[in-house]
Amino acid sequence: MQNIDRGFAGMKKEFKKNGVLYLIVLPVIIYYFIFHYMPLYGLLMAFQDFSPRRGIMGSEWVGLTHFINFFKSPDCARIVTNTLRISLSCLLFEFPAPIIMAILINELNGKYFKRTIQTISYLPHFISLVVICGMIKTFVEADGIIGGVFSQITGNGSSMLSQSKMFLPIYVISNIWQSMGWESIIYLAALMNIDPQLYEAADIDGAGKLAKIWKITLPSIAMTIVTMFILRVGKIMSVGYEKIILLYNPAIYDKSDVISSFVFRIGFTNQNWSYSAAIGLFNSVVNMILLLVTNTISKKMTDTGLW
């Protein structure tokens, strides 16, 4: 009883000391509880033949039937392959882009010029995704700015988004343009913490810009890069459906349809909620495994990890 009283007294003292901080973080806790933890209850649908009329607790349990049906379906290999192809391409080309952007901005001398470049690079992040995709579609039409040049070079008079092979480069390049500036902020913050005396010592030794970047800049922000890489690998199976469904069409499903867009279409268009929940759960489990494996490897090789 005394231990409980001491515990309450300690909590009261802590809240009295840092009460404002707890109140500030409270909306974030509520948000995550409502939108990230409460929906976990709905994962039970993946093991049921869900019926809205009966509800989750009243629907018939079918075990792993939906998972087995998914693995046996011809859609499984197609959407998993497309998801991995798009994710790995983004990891290869998009992930280094904000790092390079941050280093280049950091090397600029003019304060106002630097701020102007930063502002311009941030702008695409704040444009609505619907507007972004509308712009992309307009640009890659046969008579668009990009599509017109492409048509002249290849002799193909159709829209670039009607050609399966063009979906991947369009998606990746537009992603780089949209996110590069915004994602560079975290690397710019890491660059600000580098001791200027390291660069001064390198100047005395006669090191050039490339040598300073390779020997000082990159090692100094390596922990940030590794952390962001681990988080990125943990989402390698989670290509967002929003941009996909705004850009793709039935003619290019073979190369553009991914797990999230397939789940969206099966769940909302076909109203097969249990099947879509099973696919979504499979996707989440794979992402969690990738996150754990990548974090473990990183801890052993670099002593840097999320935990």
Side-chain angles (χ1 to χ4, degrees):
M1 191 67 179
Q2 290 180 349
N3 290 335
I4 295 175
D5 291 338
R6 289 176 183 174
F8 278 116
M11 290 174 61
K12 185 177 179 180
K13 183 179 179 181
E14 174 66 20
F15 188 80
K16 186 176 180 180
K17 181 181 178 181
N18 299 310
V20 176
L21 297 178
Y22 286 116
L23 289 175
I24 291 173
V25 79
L26 184 61
V28 178
I29 296 174
I30 294 173
Y31 167 81
Y32 274 94
F33 178 75
I34 294 175
F35 294 103
H36 292 267
Y37 285 94
M38 288 181 64
L40 291 176
Y41 173 68
L43 291 177
L44 293 174
M45 289 192 301
F47 307 95
Q48 298 176 323
D49 185 9
F50 177 73
S51 169
R53 182 174 60 84
R54 296 179 181 178
I56 291 179
M57 298 313 297
S59 298
E60 180 184 355
W61 293 90
V62 296
L64 300 176
T65 300
H66 298 302
F67 295 93
I68 295 171
N69 290 340
F70 172 64
F71 294 138
K72 289 182 177 180
S73 73
D75 295 316
C76 179
R78 174 176 61 84
I79 63 176
V80 170
T81 301
N82 288 343
T83 302
L84 288 174
R85 182 188 295 115
I86 293 174
S87 286
L88 291 174
S89 298
C90 288
L91 187 65
L92 180 62
F93 297 105
E94 185 185 341
F95 181 77
I99 302 173
I100 297 171
M101 181 77 174
I103 293 173
L104 291 177
I105 291 176
N106 189 60
E107 292 295 323
L108 294 176
N109 294 321
K111 182 174 66 174
Y112 295 106
F113 181 65
K114 181 186 294 188
R115 289 179 179 177
T116 303
I117 295 296
Q118 285 180 273
T119 303
I120 293 173
S121 66
Y122 298 161
L123 285 178
H125 175 79
F126 296 100
I127 301 175
S128 168
L129 187 59
V130 176
V131 176
I132 289 286
C133 292
M135 292 169 61
I136 294 171
K137 285 184 175 181
T138 302
F139 291 158
V140 301
E141 285 291 335
D143 56 353
I145 297 174
I146 300 173
V149 176
F150 181 79
S151 298
Q152 291 292 328
I153 296 174
T154 62
N156 190 329
S158 61
S159 169
M160 294 174 68
L161 278 176
S162 65
Q163 305 171 46
S164 296
K165 63 181 180 180
M166 296 307 302
F167 181 82
L168 181 61
I170 290 172
Y171 184 91
V172 174
I173 293 171
S174 62
N175 254 21
I176 294 173
W177 167 66
Q178 187 180 0
S179 62
M180 178 173 61
W182 180 255
E183 292 180 358
S184 68
I185 293 176
I186 191 169
Y187 299 107
L188 284 168
L191 290 171
M192 294 295 291
N193 293 323
I194 300 176
D195 188 352
Q197 292 182 355
L198 295 174
Y199 292 109
E200 293 172 4
D203 287 332
I204 294 172
D205 292 338
K209 283 190 177 295
L210 290 178
K212 287 188 286 187
I213 291 172
W214 187 254
K215 297 292 184 179
I216 299 174
T217 305
L218 289 176
S220 298
I221 63 172
M223 186 175 294
T224 303
I225 294 173
V226 170
T227 302
M228 298 302 293
F229 180 78
I230 294 171
L231 292 172
R232 191 62 176 265
V233 171
K235 298 188 296 183
I236 204 166
M237 293 288 284
S238 295
V239 178
Y241 70 90
E242 299 93 342
K243 189 174 181 179
I244 296 289
I245 64 174
L246 287 169
L247 290 178
Y248 77 172
N249 57 75
I252 58 172
Y253 276 171
D254 59 321
K255 297 295 184 183
S256 63
D257 201 17
V258 296
I259 292 176
S260 59
S261 61
F262 184 77
V263 168
F264 178 86
R265 199 167 62 251
I266 293 296
F268 287 92
T269 304
N270 299 351
Q271 297 183 350
N272 194 343
W273 297 287
S274 293
Y275 188 54
S276 62
I279 300 171
L281 179 57
F282 158 74
N283 189 29
S284 298
V285 170
V286 173
N287 277 334
M288 184 184 69
I289 293 172
L290 288 172
L291 178 65
L292 294 173
V293 170
T294 308
N295 188 71
T296 302
I297 294 173
S298 176
K299 287 285 288 183
K300 289 183 178 180
M301 295 182 65
T302 65
D303 287 330
T304 301
L306 297 178
W307 60 84

